[in-house]
Amino acid sequence: MGEVNFMQEEDFRLETTRARFANVVKRHAQLTDRLSRDSDKMIFERLQNEFEAARASQTQEINLDGEQWNDGLLATIRERVHMEADRKATSGDTNNMPTHFEEKITYRIGSKVICCLEGTRIGILYETSFAGEPCELYHCVLESKSFLEKMTVIEHTIPFFLPIREAENDLLSSNAMRFIDHIGDLLQAYVDRREQVRLIKELYGNQIGELYHSLPYHMIEFLLDDSDCKVTISLRYADLVSVLPTRVRVLAWPMHQFKKSHTSSAILSRKENGAMSSQAVPSRLSYAEDALRTMSLPEAYAEIVLNLPQALQQIISA
């Protein structure tokens, strides 16, 4: 009876997890289809071509480090695009404009490339990577009607489930440099979390029974199937710029050992009380939780699997 209760409780927990993420998985499929539509591809291709043309026509590319990237430089870039737009709009008077505004300078700050596009637009190209290998490129185009007016996001290729509009409302008008940096942090953290999940599926897919995640990969749950137990792993990230989880819960549900233990307990219980009183409960794996908080997901997974037999033995012997 205790063994049946154990299995029923485990099934209930798994069904709860499935139900919790069923709508998310369905929505993920729908939104993935939306992202693959021709219109979205056309926006990416058009912006990518425009950015490539701007970089190809540049007179120089300046690499900036640390304090060189500041509000003053961004103001200079904004002034440059507006002066260039005014120069082109002024017919018959181009010779009277200072020639240095005709320079086309691209600025690289880490994985960000900032360039002047046509009109009064400023383009930011975000390069993402994982484990030293390049991943996707993302674009964000800013514009203002005049040098004194605030900038707005007029086009971008950033995934719609990342809060670019919230960041625009909170940061762009008050601190444009911080906005640009924050979007880069959002994109890189998203790619890091996504690629960590992809890697464990690629390396350990035969051991993972169930895996669910939110669109930005800030909620991840999966089940590790082992011959001796089932391990449920739940990860939550404090915010969308985190690459390591802040809330971790790892539960082990030993199978054969507990079955054997509960069979013996049931016999003893019948003799003493005439009924079964024991019931299996999951055990938290603190070593696994510590690993997930401090290591990348693939590294932590390997650590969990390596030490799982010893951890289970300690649970049984307790």
Side-chain angles (χ1 to χ4, degrees):
M1 191 65 184
E3 189 174 319
V4 172
N5 289 338
F6 165 72
M7 295 303 295
Q8 288 177 340
E9 184 176 352
E10 167 67 357
D11 289 342
F12 174 76
R13 287 176 178 270
L14 290 177
E15 287 301 323
T16 300
T17 300
R18 291 189 184 97
R20 187 186 308 166
F21 287 96
N23 290 334
V24 173
V25 173
K26 180 179 179 181
R27 184 166 177 252
H28 183 275
Q30 293 172 342
L31 296 179
T32 299
D33 178 67
R34 173 189 166 189
L35 283 178
S36 64
R37 294 175 185 172
D38 290 342
S39 59
D40 298 301
K41 292 180 179 178
M42 288 174 61
I43 292 173
F44 177 89
E45 291 174 358
R46 177 172 54 78
L47 286 179
Q48 182 62 18
N49 289 337
E50 188 172 3
F51 273 71
E52 289 177 355
R55 297 183 70 182
S57 63
Q58 69 187 18
T59 55
Q60 62 175 314
E61 180 171 289
I62 300 176
N63 289 296
L64 303 176
D65 295 316
E67 295 181 355
Q68 292 178 312
W69 167 232
N70 52 49
D71 291 325
L73 176 65
L74 185 57
T76 299
I77 297 173
R78 291 189 63 191
E79 182 183 22
R80 184 181 296 276
V81 297
H82 280 282
M83 292 295 290
E84 179 67 10
D86 290 343
R87 185 186 67 82
K88 291 183 177 180
T90 305
S91 60
D93 194 32
T94 57
N95 292 330
N96 295 328
M97 298 298 294
T99 58
H100 71 275
F101 285 106
E102 298 178 17
E103 289 184 311
K104 294 186 177 181
I105 303 174
T106 298
Y107 300 89
R108 172 176 287 277
I109 311 102
S111 59
K112 299 183 291 289
V113 177
I114 300 178
C115 57
C116 302
L117 303 177
E118 289 295 321
T120 58
R121 297 177 303 147
I122 296 174
I124 304 99
L125 176 69
Y126 294 97
E127 300 171 343
T128 61
S129 62
F130 179 72
E133 295 297 322
C135 294
E136 293 92 340
L137 299 175
Y138 297 98
H139 313 82
C140 182
V141 180
L142 308 178
E143 186 179 44
S144 60
K145 293 181 179 179
S146 72
F147 175 69
L148 298 177
E149 293 189 37
K150 71 175 184 178
M151 291 187 292
T152 58
V153 177
I154 60 169
E155 275 190 307
H156 67 85
T157 59
I158 295 164
F160 57 87
F161 46 79
L162 295 181
I164 183 172
R165 292 304 173 186
E166 290 85 344
E168 178 182 5
N169 294 333
D170 294 341
L171 299 175
L172 186 53
S173 61
S174 59
N175 193 329
M177 188 186 80
R178 187 179 169 197
F179 166 82
I180 293 171
D181 290 342
H182 180 66
I183 295 301
D185 294 339
L186 279 175
L187 289 167
Q188 185 55 58
Y190 158 66
V191 170
D192 274 333
R193 294 190 301 269
R194 184 199 66 195
E195 290 301 297
Q196 288 182 48
V197 171
R198 179 194 62 78
L199 194 54
I200 65 164
K201 290 170 66 176
E202 180 180 305
L203 296 176
Y204 310 107
N206 60 327
Q207 300 174 6
I208 299 175
E210 307 275 352
L211 192 152
Y212 302 100
H213 61 81
S214 60
L215 291 174
Y217 290 83
H218 71 314
M219 297 171 57
I220 303 169
E221 296 200 6
F222 60 95
L223 173 68
L224 166 60
D225 274 330
D226 186 86
S227 59
D228 296 325
C229 72
K230 288 186 177 181
V231 178
T232 55
I233 300 173
S234 176
L235 308 177
R236 299 291 185 273
Y237 296 78
D239 50 52
L240 294 179
V241 296
S242 299
V243 295
L244 292 174
T246 50
R247 291 171 51 198
V248 180
R249 190 170 182 84
V250 182
L251 298 177
W253 303 78
M255 304 297 288
H256 300 306
Q257 294 94 331
F258 269 121
K259 288 180 180 180
K260 181 178 179 181
S261 173
H262 282 279
T263 301
S264 300
S265 298
I267 294 173
L268 180 61
S269 181
R270 285 195 191 97
K271 289 181 180 179
E272 295 179 351
N273 304 316
M276 296 178 67
S277 60
S278 61
Q279 183 175 355
V281 293
S283 299
R284 293 188 68 172
L285 299 181
S286 58
Y287 85 93
E289 294 178 352
D290 291 341
L292 287 162
R293 289 190 187 97
T294 57
M295 302 179 183
S296 70
L297 188 51
E299 292 173 326
Y301 188 96
E303 181 78 8
I304 293 170
V305 173
L306 178 64
N307 293 287
L308 186 58
Q310 181 181 355
L312 292 177
Q313 188 60 45
Q314 291 176 348
I315 293 172
I316 296 168
S317 301

